[in-house]
Amino acid sequence: MKTIYLSLLLSLCVFSARPQTPEDIFRHEVPVTWLGIDFSHVTLIGNFAEFGEIGAKGPVQIITDYFPKWNHIVLNEREKYDIRGMLRRRDIEYDIDMVMELNYRTNPDSLESYNARRFTPEEIQSFVNEYYIKGREGIGVVFIAESLNKCYEEAFYHFVAINMKTGEVILHERLRGEPSGFGLRNYWANSIYRVIRNIKYYYFAVWKGEIT
C-alpha cells in the first residue's frame, strides 16, 4: 500500500514539475486560471456612443468605466459567459486583478485610430511578457483585445493560453466576435460572448484534433 501511495505521489510531483504544453489544456489534472480580457493594446475604431449617437464616450471613460465592466460581466454572468464550458472544465480559477491593473494603465492617447491593427504571434508573446505571472502553476487563459470596430460592427480578440511557470504562449488563436444589443456595455460584451461560444462549440474541438 505504501509503495502504491509513494508511486502516485512521485508521479504527481513529476507531472507538476514539468512545463505545460499545448496538450495540457485538454488534461483536467492541469489547473487553468482565467486571467480576464486584456484591453491594454486595443484599438477603438468609429463612434463610441450609446445608440442614437448620444452619450459619446471618450478614451478615458472607456478605460476607467467600460474596461472593468466588460471584465466583470464575465465574472458576474458565468452561465452566459461560460469560460468553464468553453474549456471543458468542471472548475477553473478566476483571477483578473493583473489584467485589470494593466487595463487601467492604458494610455488613452493610443486607443483611437482609423486603422485596425493585426497582432502577430511575436507581438502577442511580447504582451504576455508584461504579465507578472511567472512561477505560478498551471495554464493561464486570457483574451487579448485587438480591435473594437464600430464601422464594420466587429471585434477581434486573441485567445491565448500561457504556461504560467515560464510565461510562454502555448496556444494562440485570433477570433472574431459580432457585437449587438442596446447600450455600449452590452453591445461589445456580446462580441465577447460570441467568441466564447465559437470556442466552446467549434474551436476547442479543432484545437484538440490538431494537437492531440
Side-chain angles (χ1 to χ4, degrees):
M1 187 68 179
K2 286 184 179 179
T3 302
I4 295 174
Y5 175 77
L6 288 172
S7 297
L8 178 61
L9 183 62
L10 180 61
S11 65
L12 289 174
C13 290
V14 170
F15 185 85
S16 63
R18 70 174 179 80
Q20 264 64 69
T21 63
E23 293 89 347
D24 286 336
I25 200 166
F26 309 109
R27 296 188 172 122
H28 290 278
E29 61 269 32
V30 178
V32 170
T33 301
W34 170 249
L35 299 173
I37 307 164
D38 179 357
F39 290 100
S40 63
H41 305 280
V42 74
T43 300
L44 309 180
I45 302 168
N47 182 13
F48 274 67
E50 301 292 352
F51 283 80
E53 305 306 314
I54 61 172
K57 312 300 180 186
V60 172
Q61 187 176 2
I62 296 292
I63 292 168
T64 59
D65 195 6
Y66 288 91
F67 286 177
K69 284 181 177 178
W70 290 325
N71 265 286
H72 284 142
I73 199 170
V74 176
L75 297 185
N76 296 334
E77 299 183 27
R78 297 187 189 188
E79 288 190 10
K80 178 177 179 178
Y81 298 85
D82 188 9
I83 302 297
R84 289 187 304 170
M86 176 184 82
L87 298 173
R88 308 290 196 275
R89 297 275 175 156
R90 291 195 196 94
D91 296 295
I92 65 169
E93 182 180 350
Y94 290 80
D95 185 357
I96 67 170
D97 290 348
M98 179 268 298
V99 161
M100 293 286 281
E101 184 176 334
L102 285 174
N103 288 341
Y104 185 74
R105 298 205 309 259
T106 302
N107 180 2
D109 295 332
S110 68
L111 276 184
E112 296 178 305
S113 176
Y114 294 105
N115 300 306
R117 293 179 60 195
R118 187 182 182 109
F119 298 149
T120 66
E122 292 76 20
E123 285 179 301
I124 292 296
Q125 182 64 67
S126 72
F127 300 156
V128 170
N129 290 343
E130 300 173 3
Y131 296 172
Y132 41 92
I133 56 173
K134 288 184 180 179
R136 295 177 59 176
E137 293 295 329
I139 294 172
V141 171
V142 64
F143 286 177
I144 297 179
E146 180 181 83
S147 62
L148 307 182
N149 192 325
K150 184 70 179 294
C151 299
Y152 288 100
E153 298 186 344
E154 64 182 7
F156 284 95
Y157 304 88
H158 292 252
F159 171 94
V160 182
I162 309 159
N163 175 351
M164 292 200 293
K165 180 72 74 175
T166 64
E168 177 189 5
V169 173
I170 59 175
L171 182 60
H172 163 226
E173 186 84 45
R174 182 178 185 260
L175 300 162
R176 179 181 180 273
E178 293 182 9
S180 65
F182 294 100
L184 194 62
R185 187 199 76 147
N186 293 336
Y187 184 75
W188 293 108
N190 278 318
S191 70
I192 299 164
Y193 166 71
R194 289 190 170 93
V195 167
I196 292 170
R197 279 182 58 87
N198 287 341
I199 295 171
K200 181 178 180 179
Y201 293 112
Y202 178 72
Y203 282 98
F204 191 88
V206 170
W207 296 335
K208 189 171 184 179
E210 291 176 346
I211 294 171
T212 60

